[in-house]
Amino acid sequence: PSDAAGTRDFPPLMSASIILPLKGTKPAELSNALLSYYADVTKSRPPEAAAAAARTLDQVRERLSSIKALSDTTADAAATELLAYERQLAALARRLDNAGAALNVRFIWRDAFRPKQKVEKGDLDWERVCTLFNAAAALGYAASRAFRRGAQADAFKQLQRAAGCFAAAHDMVRPAIWGLDPRWEPASLSPDLGLEMLSALRDLMLAQAQHAFHQKAVDEGTSPSVRAKLAEQAALLFGAALRTLDSQELRDYVTEEGSLFKPADDSWLRRLRAAEARARAIAQEEAAAAAAADSSYGAQVARLRLASELMRRAAAAAPDGSPERRSLEDESSSLSQRTRQAEQDNATIYQDPVPSAGALPRLEPKLFVKPIRPEDGLSSAQAAYADAFPALLPAATAAAVTQFHGEVHAKLHDLSTRTTSDAEKAQKALAELELPQALEACEADKRLPARLVRAIAKAQATGGVGVLEELLSACTALEKEAHCVAQREETCHVYCARCVDVPPRA
């Protein structure tokens, strides 16, 4: 029973083969529009740093839009640059009203699955959403390359970042199309950026990441019982993505249109169906190994039978004549042989009752993946770009900053006026008492002037030292209040500088 009960390597071929197409785009003159807007708002010529940053935007966009298809040599670099470009757009959008609609730049993007469909919108959020889609596609391709070279840890991280891109795009699209007066008409979106599609693609990336983690557990010799939970979670995530993408609404959409000389191509969807069935088969196979380790040979046979059936379904679902199909047919044949061996061992040696598939307990899933948001790990690039446009602020933010500084100025002016008045009163009181000259004069005869003696007697009659201490306390409180207000003003200025990049005060 060692062959039947033991573990085997699980080639990560299927999940790595679910590659997303890129969205195409057309040129957009962003730098000229941005510098013109900068000059109009600030009433001054843009500084060289701003002009250089604007030119860089156009250069990066042109370079990225020239990528028509991903390859092993371009995927990693494309993913990095796409994510950096999106973070630069995010930093710029925060400085502009209505996500930069005032720039009057039209961004045209093609649908990833139906390139003939084009959508045009005039704000930076649309550019960001489309960029995030391509970043996710590039990360997914880079993960497939990591799969092939056995770098499961790299694939694990890249696929979670791809899921984070789809999650971020979903979070941007939803508020833009919801409500009584949406910024984007829901029907105006290309199908690849619909909310259901983005959610399904996020689940697909998480499913592949979970599968990569399972493969890593196999490589590290983790116990079959733990690996069964990891594989079951991968199967559930594949299933969630498949239910949406194989639904009546999206099935025809993700199938490549045919022509007079070419039939419709549903190979992308068939790969997903095969990946889901294979993930379920692996989960059952791992559970069979766990049952054998627990001397439950009847349960082992039942789960291997179920795994064999699921693997046959996976092979049948794969595209005809594809390398994936041949690989799955080999896996199915090997698994069927191991199942027959386990059946024979149980019949001749253990004679353990074999439960039906329906009587087997459900496998417990264990989730080890989550979306990694695009902003994680790119804050330095974002901050460096944001520094190039310190004078640009949204109208509401600029008004709030102006109001804040006005209130601080009024408060400081009031304190300055009160301090000057109190100082004049103190000087007048000292002059009336001939101080400090009177004290200097009495050093010789050790006698206070009569006028000062009368003032002291009067003070004693009206409360003495206690009143003087109260007056001193009042003066001290005023001094502290002035210091606190000045300190708050400085703190608030620093906070505003961090939030909206106000230049530091001289």
Side-chain angles (χ1 to χ4, degrees):
S2 57
D3 291 339
T7 60
R8 66 178 180 89
D9 290 333
F10 297 95
L13 175 65
M14 284 305 304
S15 59
S17 300
I18 305 176
I19 302 300
L20 291 173
L22 290 173
K23 292 177 68 66
T25 185
K26 290 193 171 184
E29 291 293 334
L30 182 55
S31 62
N32 290 339
L34 178 56
L35 294 177
S36 177
Y37 178 82
Y38 189 102
D40 290 343
V41 170
T42 63
K43 308 302 180 185
S44 62
R45 182 178 179 180
E48 181 55 33
R55 289 194 297 270
T56 299
L57 273 180
D58 273 351
Q59 293 167 1
V60 171
R61 191 181 194 280
E62 182 179 359
R63 185 162 58 250
L64 293 173
S65 63
S66 66
I67 303 174
K68 305 304 179 184
L70 295 165
S71 68
D72 288 353
T73 58
T74 62
D76 288 291
T80 299
E81 197 153 1
L82 282 162
L83 288 170
Y85 176 63
E86 189 277 329
R87 287 291 84 203
Q88 292 171 355
L89 293 177
L92 181 60
R94 285 204 305 273
R95 293 186 170 278
L96 305 172
D97 289 311
N98 300 320
L103 297 177
N104 294 319
V105 179
R106 308 299 294 178
F107 299 102
I108 303 174
W109 286 86
R110 297 182 182 275
D111 186 283
F113 291 89
R114 300 293 175 90
K116 293 181 180 179
Q117 298 184 24
K118 295 181 291 185
V119 177
E120 175 182 349
K121 294 190 182 298
D123 64 57
L124 295 177
D125 282 351
W126 173 248
E127 176 84 344
R128 289 176 61 198
V129 166
C130 297
T131 300
L132 285 171
F133 187 102
N134 278 0
L139 286 166
Y141 194 103
S144 74
R145 178 172 174 270
F147 269 122
R148 294 196 300 272
R149 68 173 192 269
Q152 311 303 337
D154 290 344
F156 177 65
K157 183 176 181 179
Q158 289 165 334
L159 289 164
Q160 289 180 98
R161 295 179 71 193
C165 289
F166 284 126
H170 181 279
D171 292 346
M172 292 175 64
V173 170
R174 182 173 56 185
I177 65 173
W178 279 10
L180 298 178
D181 187 22
R183 185 154 52 98
W184 302 339
E185 287 297 328
S188 70
L189 296 178
S190 52
D192 57 349
L193 295 178
L195 294 180
E196 289 188 354
M197 185 71 175
L198 291 173
S199 295
L201 294 176
R202 177 203 61 206
D203 289 343
L204 175 58
M205 294 300 161
L206 289 176
Q208 296 181 93
Q210 180 79 15
H211 178 75
F213 193 80
H214 167 263
Q215 185 67 36
K216 182 173 178 289
V218 172
D219 295 341
E220 294 174 352
T222 307
S223 67
S225 60
V226 173
R227 298 203 307 261
K229 296 177 181 180
L230 298 176
E232 177 66 10
Q233 182 64 66
L236 292 176
L237 288 167
F238 273 120
L242 183 62
R243 280 192 298 275
T244 300
L245 296 170
D246 204 8
S247 64
Q248 185 175 359
E249 294 79 8
L250 292 176
R251 186 183 304 119
D252 292 339
Y253 164 69
V254 297
T255 298
E256 185 178 343
E257 291 181 302
S259 63
L260 182 62
F261 303 102
K262 179 183 176 182
D265 184 3
D266 63 348
S267 59
W268 190 87
L269 188 57
R270 293 185 67 176
R271 286 187 173 93
L272 177 55
R273 292 170 183 157
E276 189 267 345
R278 180 176 184 264
R280 292 171 60 198
I282 291 175
Q284 293 298 327
E285 188 176 356
E286 294 283 31
D294 197 34
S295 301
S296 299
Y297 299 107
Q300 176 203 15
V301 170
R303 290 199 181 276
L304 282 175
R305 288 173 178 173
L306 183 55
S308 295
E309 175 59 27
L310 289 168
M311 196 64 78
R312 281 193 292 271
R313 294 181 191 177
D320 298 335
S322 64
E324 295 93 341
R325 182 155 191 163
R326 290 191 293 272
S327 175
L328 285 171
E329 287 173 345
D330 290 342
E331 283 193 76
S332 179
S333 176
S334 174
L335 187 53
S336 295
Q337 183 178 354
R338 296 175 67 237
T339 301
R340 289 192 295 272
Q341 181 65 51
E343 290 173 336
Q344 180 180 349
D345 290 340
N346 186 59
T348 58
I349 303 174
Y350 306 110
Q351 299 181 356
D352 202 19
V354 178
S356 64
L360 292 171
R362 295 176 62 89
L363 297 179
E364 177 187 349
K366 193 172 186 63
L367 182 67
F368 263 88
V369 295
K370 65 177 181 179
I372 299 177
R373 308 290 292 194
E375 57 268 22
D376 294 343
L378 287 172
S379 57
S380 59
Q382 178 187 8
Y385 182 81
D387 290 341
F389 301 95
L392 289 182
L393 291 175
T397 304
V401 170
T402 301
Q403 180 183 356
F404 167 76
H405 285 298
E407 292 174 352
V408 170
H409 177 75
K411 192 74 172 178
L412 290 175
H413 183 269
D414 177 62
L415 286 173
S416 177
T417 301
R418 291 166 60 187
T419 303
T420 301
S421 175
D422 289 343
E424 291 175 351
K425 291 178 181 179
Q427 290 291 339
K428 183 179 180 180
L430 290 172
E432 291 176 351
L433 295 173
E434 298 180 359
L435 294 174
Q437 296 85 352
L439 292 176
E440 294 172 356
C442 76
E443 288 182 359
D445 55 10
K446 306 301 180 182
R447 294 180 61 187
L448 293 175
R451 189 170 184 176
L452 183 55
V453 172
R454 288 194 299 271
I456 292 174
K458 182 179 178 180
Q460 289 175 339
T462 57
V465 177
V467 173
L468 292 176
E469 289 180 347
E470 290 178 3
L471 292 174
L472 179 62
S473 298
C475 290
T476 303
L478 285 174
E479 181 186 19
K480 290 182 178 179
E481 182 182 357
H483 177 73
C484 289
V485 170
Q487 193 174 36
R488 284 200 303 271
E489 188 274 340
E490 183 62 27
T491 301
C492 292
H493 185 89
V494 171
Y495 177 78
C496 286
R498 290 176 178 173
C499 293
V500 297
D501 297 320
V502 175
R505 295 189 308 155

PDB file of all heavy atoms in Angstrom, residues 355-384:
ATOM      1  N   PRO A 355     -16.644   3.217   2.193  1.00  0.00           N
ATOM      2  CA  PRO A 355     -17.869   4.024   2.195  1.00  0.00           C
ATOM      3  C   PRO A 355     -18.152   4.583   0.809  1.00  0.00           C
ATOM      4  O   PRO A 355     -17.271   4.655  -0.062  1.00  0.00           O
ATOM      5  CB  PRO A 355     -17.539   5.137   3.185  1.00  0.00           C
ATOM      6  CG  PRO A 355     -16.059   5.268   3.130  1.00  0.00           C
ATOM      7  CD  PRO A 355     -15.527   3.894   2.874  1.00  0.00           C
ATOM      8  N   SER A 356     -19.389   4.977   0.591  1.00  0.00           N
ATOM      9  CA  SER A 356     -19.740   5.630  -0.668  1.00  0.00           C
ATOM     10  C   SER A 356     -19.181   7.050  -0.667  1.00  0.00           C
ATOM     11  O   SER A 356     -18.834   7.610   0.380  1.00  0.00           O
ATOM     12  CB  SER A 356     -21.256   5.670  -0.837  1.00  0.00           C
ATOM     13  OG  SER A 356     -21.849   6.485   0.181  1.00  0.00           O
ATOM     14  N   ALA A 357     -19.117   7.651  -1.846  1.00  0.00           N
ATOM     15  CA  ALA A 357     -18.601   9.017  -1.946  1.00  0.00           C
ATOM     16  C   ALA A 357     -19.442   9.987  -1.135  1.00  0.00           C
ATOM     17  O   ALA A 357     -18.923  10.921  -0.510  1.00  0.00           O
ATOM     18  CB  ALA A 357     -18.543   9.457  -3.410  1.00  0.00           C
ATOM     19  N   GLY A 358     -20.754   9.767  -1.116  1.00  0.00           N
ATOM     20  CA  GLY A 358     -21.640  10.657  -0.369  1.00  0.00           C
ATOM     21  C   GLY A 358     -21.486  10.541   1.133  1.00  0.00           C
ATOM     22  O   GLY A 358     -21.867  11.465   1.866  1.00  0.00           O
ATOM     23  N   ALA A 359     -20.963   9.410   1.601  1.00  0.00           N
ATOM     24  CA  ALA A 359     -20.814   9.206   3.044  1.00  0.00           C
ATOM     25  C   ALA A 359     -19.500   9.773   3.581  1.00  0.00           C
ATOM     26  O   ALA A 359     -19.303   9.819   4.797  1.00  0.00           O
ATOM     27  CB  ALA A 359     -20.889   7.719   3.362  1.00  0.00           C
ATOM     28  N   LEU A 360     -18.625  10.185   2.696  1.00  0.00           N
ATOM     29  CA  LEU A 360     -17.348  10.742   3.150  1.00  0.00           C
ATOM     30  C   LEU A 360     -17.560  12.110   3.794  1.00  0.00           C
ATOM     31  O   LEU A 360     -18.345  12.928   3.285  1.00  0.00           O
ATOM     32  CB  LEU A 360     -16.380  10.882   1.965  1.00  0.00           C
ATOM     33  CG  LEU A 360     -15.866   9.583   1.347  1.00  0.00           C
ATOM     34  CD1 LEU A 360     -15.093   9.878   0.063  1.00  0.00           C
ATOM     35  CD2 LEU A 360     -14.971   8.828   2.342  1.00  0.00           C
ATOM     36  N   PRO A 361     -16.900  12.384   4.885  1.00  0.00           N
ATOM     37  CA  PRO A 361     -17.029  13.720   5.489  1.00  0.00           C
ATOM     38  C   PRO A 361     -16.440  14.790   4.574  1.00  0.00           C
ATOM     39  O   PRO A 361     -15.479  14.544   3.844  1.00  0.00           O
ATOM     40  CB  PRO A 361     -16.241  13.600   6.797  1.00  0.00           C
ATOM     41  CG  PRO A 361     -15.329  12.444   6.609  1.00  0.00           C
ATOM     42  CD  PRO A 361     -16.005  11.505   5.669  1.00  0.00           C
ATOM     43  N   ARG A 362     -17.038  15.969   4.630  1.00  0.00           N
ATOM     44  CA  ARG A 362     -16.552  17.080   3.812  1.00  0.00           C
ATOM     45  C   ARG A 362     -15.166  17.504   4.292  1.00  0.00           C
ATOM     46  O   ARG A 362     -14.864  17.491   5.480  1.00  0.00           O
ATOM     47  CB  ARG A 362     -17.503  18.275   3.897  1.00  0.00           C
ATOM     48  CG  ARG A 362     -18.882  17.997   3.296  1.00  0.00           C
ATOM     49  CD  ARG A 362     -19.800  19.199   3.496  1.00  0.00           C
ATOM     50  NE  ARG A 362     -19.282  20.368   2.816  1.00  0.00           N
ATOM     51  CZ  ARG A 362     -19.561  20.687   1.552  1.00  0.00           C
ATOM     52  NH1 ARG A 362     -20.347  19.887   0.835  1.00  0.00           N
ATOM     53  NH2 ARG A 362     -19.068  21.768   1.004  1.00  0.00           N
ATOM     54  N   LEU A 363     -14.340  17.876   3.348  1.00  0.00           N
ATOM     55  CA  LEU A 363     -13.004  18.330   3.697  1.00  0.00           C
ATOM     56  C   LEU A 363     -13.054  19.743   4.258  1.00  0.00           C
ATOM     57  O   LEU A 363     -13.816  20.594   3.776  1.00  0.00           O
ATOM     58  CB  LEU A 363     -12.085  18.304   2.472  1.00  0.00           C
ATOM     59  CG  LEU A 363     -11.831  16.928   1.851  1.00  0.00           C
ATOM     60  CD1 LEU A 363     -10.918  17.057   0.637  1.00  0.00           C
ATOM     61  CD2 LEU A 363     -11.209  15.989   2.871  1.00  0.00           C
ATOM     62  N   GLU A 364     -12.237  20.014   5.246  1.00  0.00           N
ATOM     63  CA  GLU A 364     -12.185  21.337   5.868  1.00  0.00           C
ATOM     64  C   GLU A 364     -11.172  22.205   5.114  1.00  0.00           C
ATOM     65  O   GLU A 364     -10.002  21.852   5.005  1.00  0.00           O
ATOM     66  CB  GLU A 364     -11.762  21.212   7.336  1.00  0.00           C
ATOM     67  CG  GLU A 364     -11.613  22.555   8.035  1.00  0.00           C
ATOM     68  CD  GLU A 364     -11.043  22.413   9.429  1.00  0.00           C
ATOM     69  OE1 GLU A 364     -10.950  21.262   9.929  1.00  0.00           O
ATOM     70  OE2 GLU A 364     -10.663  23.445  10.020  1.00  0.00           O
ATOM     71  N   PRO A 365     -11.602  23.338   4.566  1.00  0.00           N
ATOM     72  CA  PRO A 365     -10.649  24.200   3.842  1.00  0.00           C
ATOM     73  C   PRO A 365      -9.826  25.049   4.807  1.00  0.00           C
ATOM     74  O   PRO A 365     -10.239  25.322   5.929  1.00  0.00           O
ATOM     75  CB  PRO A 365     -11.565  25.073   2.985  1.00  0.00           C
ATOM     76  CG  PRO A 365     -12.830  25.176   3.784  1.00  0.00           C
ATOM     77  CD  PRO A 365     -12.988  23.856   4.498  1.00  0.00           C
ATOM     78  N   LYS A 366      -8.671  25.473   4.341  1.00  0.00           N
ATOM     79  CA  LYS A 366      -7.806  26.360   5.128  1.00  0.00           C
ATOM     80  C   LYS A 366      -7.236  27.421   4.194  1.00  0.00           C
ATOM     81  O   LYS A 366      -6.452  27.119   3.301  1.00  0.00           O
ATOM     82  CB  LYS A 366      -6.687  25.568   5.807  1.00  0.00           C
ATOM     83  CG  LYS A 366      -5.945  26.366   6.882  1.00  0.00           C
ATOM     84  CD  LYS A 366      -4.988  25.468   7.648  1.00  0.00           C
ATOM     85  CE  LYS A 366      -4.343  26.202   8.818  1.00  0.00           C
ATOM     86  NZ  LYS A 366      -5.333  26.623   9.828  1.00  0.00           N
ATOM     87  N   LEU A 367      -7.639  28.667   4.445  1.00  0.00           N
ATOM     88  CA  LEU A 367      -7.252  29.786   3.578  1.00  0.00           C
ATOM     89  C   LEU A 367      -5.909  30.361   4.010  1.00  0.00           C
ATOM     90  O   LEU A 367      -5.701  30.662   5.183  1.00  0.00           O
ATOM     91  CB  LEU A 367      -8.330  30.878   3.630  1.00  0.00           C
ATOM     92  CG  LEU A 367      -8.104  32.102   2.748  1.00  0.00           C
ATOM     93  CD1 LEU A 367      -8.183  31.712   1.273  1.00  0.00           C
ATOM     94  CD2 LEU A 367      -9.134  33.186   3.065  1.00  0.00           C
ATOM     95  N   PHE A 368      -4.998  30.529   3.029  1.00  0.00           N
ATOM     96  CA  PHE A 368      -3.688  31.106   3.320  1.00  0.00           C
ATOM     97  C   PHE A 368      -3.351  32.257   2.378  1.00  0.00           C
ATOM     98  O   PHE A 368      -2.187  32.660   2.277  1.00  0.00           O
ATOM     99  CB  PHE A 368      -2.593  30.043   3.221  1.00  0.00           C
ATOM    100  CG  PHE A 368      -2.214  29.444   4.539  1.00  0.00           C
ATOM    101  CD1 PHE A 368      -2.897  28.333   5.029  1.00  0.00           C
ATOM    102  CD2 PHE A 368      -1.196  29.979   5.308  1.00  0.00           C
ATOM    103  CE1 PHE A 368      -2.559  27.767   6.248  1.00  0.00           C
ATOM    104  CE2 PHE A 368      -0.856  29.421   6.533  1.00  0.00           C
ATOM    105  CZ  PHE A 368      -1.530  28.321   7.006  1.00  0.00           C
ATOM    106  N   VAL A 369      -4.340  32.806   1.706  1.00  0.00           N
ATOM    107  CA  VAL A 369      -4.070  33.870   0.738  1.00  0.00           C
ATOM    108  C   VAL A 369      -4.994  35.049   0.994  1.00  0.00           C
ATOM    109  O   VAL A 369      -6.068  34.904   1.583  1.00  0.00           O
ATOM    110  CB  VAL A 369      -4.262  33.372  -0.712  1.00  0.00           C
ATOM    111  CG1 VAL A 369      -3.245  32.303  -1.051  1.00  0.00           C
ATOM    112  CG2 VAL A 369      -5.683  32.842  -0.925  1.00  0.00           C
ATOM    113  N   LYS A 370      -4.570  36.214   0.534  1.00  0.00           N
ATOM    114  CA  LYS A 370      -5.385  37.422   0.586  1.00  0.00           C
ATOM    115  C   LYS A 370      -4.872  38.389  -0.472  1.00  0.00           C
ATOM    116  O   LYS A 370      -3.692  38.339  -0.862  1.00  0.00           O
ATOM    117  CB  LYS A 370      -5.322  38.069   1.969  1.00  0.00           C
ATOM    118  CG  LYS A 370      -3.944  38.585   2.340  1.00  0.00           C
ATOM    119  CD  LYS A 370      -3.964  39.273   3.703  1.00  0.00           C
ATOM    120  CE  LYS A 370      -2.572  39.823   4.052  1.00  0.00           C
ATOM    121  NZ  LYS A 370      -2.583  40.517   5.356  1.00  0.00           N
ATOM    122  N   PRO A 371      -5.715  39.285  -0.954  1.00  0.00           N
ATOM    123  CA  PRO A 371      -5.245  40.266  -1.944  1.00  0.00           C
ATOM    124  C   PRO A 371      -4.215  41.209  -1.326  1.00  0.00           C
ATOM    125  O   PRO A 371      -4.376  41.676  -0.205  1.00  0.00           O
ATOM    126  CB  PRO A 371      -6.527  41.019  -2.331  1.00  0.00           C
ATOM    127  CG  PRO A 371      -7.654  40.117  -1.933  1.00  0.00           C
ATOM    128  CD  PRO A 371      -7.176  39.362  -0.733  1.00  0.00           C
ATOM    129  N   ILE A 372      -3.144  41.473  -2.062  1.00  0.00           N
ATOM    130  CA  ILE A 372      -2.149  42.467  -1.664  1.00  0.00           C
ATOM    131  C   ILE A 372      -2.394  43.722  -2.488  1.00  0.00           C
ATOM    132  O   ILE A 372      -2.271  43.698  -3.714  1.00  0.00           O
ATOM    133  CB  ILE A 372      -0.716  41.941  -1.880  1.00  0.00           C
ATOM    134  CG1 ILE A 372      -0.473  40.687  -1.025  1.00  0.00           C
ATOM    135  CG2 ILE A 372       0.312  43.015  -1.546  1.00  0.00           C
ATOM    136  CD1 ILE A 372       0.900  40.074  -1.234  1.00  0.00           C
ATOM    137  N   ARG A 373      -2.753  44.802  -1.833  1.00  0.00           N
ATOM    138  CA  ARG A 373      -3.164  46.020  -2.528  1.00  0.00           C
ATOM    139  C   ARG A 373      -1.997  46.643  -3.300  1.00  0.00           C
ATOM    140  O   ARG A 373      -0.836  46.508  -2.928  1.00  0.00           O
ATOM    141  CB  ARG A 373      -3.702  47.032  -1.522  1.00  0.00           C
ATOM    142  CG  ARG A 373      -4.774  46.498  -0.605  1.00  0.00           C
ATOM    143  CD  ARG A 373      -6.072  46.231  -1.326  1.00  0.00           C
ATOM    144  NE  ARG A 373      -6.710  47.449  -1.789  1.00  0.00           N
ATOM    145  CZ  ARG A 373      -7.973  47.515  -2.211  1.00  0.00           C
ATOM    146  NH1 ARG A 373      -8.719  46.418  -2.234  1.00  0.00           N
ATOM    147  NH2 ARG A 373      -8.490  48.643  -2.619  1.00  0.00           N
ATOM    148  N   PRO A 374      -2.306  47.364  -4.391  1.00  0.00           N
ATOM    149  CA  PRO A 374      -1.239  47.953  -5.217  1.00  0.00           C
ATOM    150  C   PRO A 374      -0.364  48.932  -4.451  1.00  0.00           C
ATOM    151  O   PRO A 374       0.823  49.070  -4.744  1.00  0.00           O
ATOM    152  CB  PRO A 374      -2.014  48.667  -6.326  1.00  0.00           C
ATOM    153  CG  PRO A 374      -3.345  48.015  -6.363  1.00  0.00           C
ATOM    154  CD  PRO A 374      -3.638  47.573  -4.967  1.00  0.00           C
ATOM    155  N   GLU A 375      -0.933  49.647  -3.461  1.00  0.00           N
ATOM    156  CA  GLU A 375      -0.154  50.656  -2.751  1.00  0.00           C
ATOM    157  C   GLU A 375       0.902  50.062  -1.824  1.00  0.00           C
ATOM    158  O   GLU A 375       1.829  50.759  -1.406  1.00  0.00           O
ATOM    159  CB  GLU A 375      -1.067  51.569  -1.931  1.00  0.00           C
ATOM    160  CG  GLU A 375      -1.942  50.849  -0.925  1.00  0.00           C
ATOM    161  CD  GLU A 375      -3.305  50.477  -1.480  1.00  0.00           C
ATOM    162  OE1 GLU A 375      -3.421  50.385  -2.727  1.00  0.00           O
ATOM    163  OE2 GLU A 375      -4.234  50.281  -0.697  1.00  0.00           O
ATOM    164  N   ASP A 376       0.775  48.783  -1.483  1.00  0.00           N
ATOM    165  CA  ASP A 376       1.736  48.155  -0.574  1.00  0.00           C
ATOM    166  C   ASP A 376       3.084  47.990  -1.277  1.00  0.00           C
ATOM    167  O   ASP A 376       3.193  47.333  -2.304  1.00  0.00           O
ATOM    168  CB  ASP A 376       1.231  46.787  -0.107  1.00  0.00           C
ATOM    169  CG  ASP A 376      -0.007  46.892   0.758  1.00  0.00           C
ATOM    170  OD1 ASP A 376      -0.276  48.009   1.245  1.00  0.00           O
ATOM    171  OD2 ASP A 376      -0.700  45.883   0.937  1.00  0.00           O
ATOM    172  N   GLY A 377       4.101  48.608  -0.690  1.00  0.00           N
ATOM    173  CA  GLY A 377       5.450  48.468  -1.218  1.00  0.00           C
ATOM    174  C   GLY A 377       5.838  49.486  -2.265  1.00  0.00           C
ATOM    175  O   GLY A 377       6.952  49.459  -2.774  1.00  0.00           O
ATOM    176  N   LEU A 378       4.935  50.432  -2.611  1.00  0.00           N
ATOM    177  CA  LEU A 378       5.268  51.415  -3.629  1.00  0.00           C
ATOM    178  C   LEU A 378       5.103  52.847  -3.120  1.00  0.00           C
ATOM    179  O   LEU A 378       4.999  53.772  -3.890  1.00  0.00           O
ATOM    180  CB  LEU A 378       4.381  51.213  -4.867  1.00  0.00           C
ATOM    181  CG  LEU A 378       4.703  49.991  -5.733  1.00  0.00           C
ATOM    182  CD1 LEU A 378       3.637  49.808  -6.799  1.00  0.00           C
ATOM    183  CD2 LEU A 378       6.058  50.131  -6.377  1.00  0.00           C
ATOM    184  N   SER A 379       5.077  53.037  -1.808  1.00  0.00           N
ATOM    185  CA  SER A 379       4.831  54.364  -1.258  1.00  0.00           C
ATOM    186  C   SER A 379       5.951  55.340  -1.600  1.00  0.00           C
ATOM    187  O   SER A 379       5.714  56.524  -1.789  1.00  0.00           O
ATOM    188  CB  SER A 379       4.662  54.286   0.259  1.00  0.00           C
ATOM    189  OG  SER A 379       5.801  53.685   0.845  1.00  0.00           O
ATOM    190  N   SER A 380       7.196  54.882  -1.695  1.00  0.00           N
ATOM    191  CA  SER A 380       8.306  55.786  -1.986  1.00  0.00           C
ATOM    192  C   SER A 380       8.182  56.377  -3.385  1.00  0.00           C
ATOM    193  O   SER A 380       8.401  57.575  -3.594  1.00  0.00           O
ATOM    194  CB  SER A 380       9.630  55.045  -1.837  1.00  0.00           C
ATOM    195  OG  SER A 380       9.690  53.934  -2.713  1.00  0.00           O
ATOM    196  N   ALA A 381       7.817  55.540  -4.368  1.00  0.00           N
ATOM    197  CA  ALA A 381       7.634  56.049  -5.726  1.00  0.00           C
ATOM    198  C   ALA A 381       6.475  57.029  -5.786  1.00  0.00           C
ATOM    199  O   ALA A 381       6.523  58.050  -6.468  1.00  0.00           O
ATOM    200  CB  ALA A 381       7.392  54.881  -6.695  1.00  0.00           C
ATOM    201  N   GLN A 382       5.413  56.728  -5.070  1.00  0.00           N
ATOM    202  CA  GLN A 382       4.254  57.607  -5.044  1.00  0.00           C
ATOM    203  C   GLN A 382       4.624  58.960  -4.435  1.00  0.00           C
ATOM    204  O   GLN A 382       4.286  60.013  -4.976  1.00  0.00           O
ATOM    205  CB  GLN A 382       3.132  56.968  -4.226  1.00  0.00           C
ATOM    206  CG  GLN A 382       1.893  57.829  -4.107  1.00  0.00           C
ATOM    207  CD  GLN A 382       0.891  57.219  -3.158  1.00  0.00           C
ATOM    208  OE1 GLN A 382       1.168  56.247  -2.497  1.00  0.00           O
ATOM    209  NE2 GLN A 382      -0.274  57.817  -3.090  1.00  0.00           N
ATOM    210  N   ALA A 383       5.332  58.954  -3.325  1.00  0.00           N
ATOM    211  CA  ALA A 383       5.693  60.203  -2.662  1.00  0.00           C
ATOM    212  C   ALA A 383       6.630  61.033  -3.519  1.00  0.00           C
ATOM    213  O   ALA A 383       6.511  62.255  -3.600  1.00  0.00           O
ATOM    214  CB  ALA A 383       6.340  59.895  -1.316  1.00  0.00           C
ATOM    215  N   ALA A 384       7.585  60.369  -4.174  1.00  0.00           N
ATOM    216  CA  ALA A 384       8.528  61.091  -5.016  1.00  0.00           C
ATOM    217  C   ALA A 384       7.811  61.798  -6.157  1.00  0.00           C
ATOM    218  O   ALA A 384       8.140  62.926  -6.522  1.00  0.00           O
ATOM    219  CB  ALA A 384       9.576  60.117  -5.566  1.00  0.00           C
TER     220      ALA A 384
END
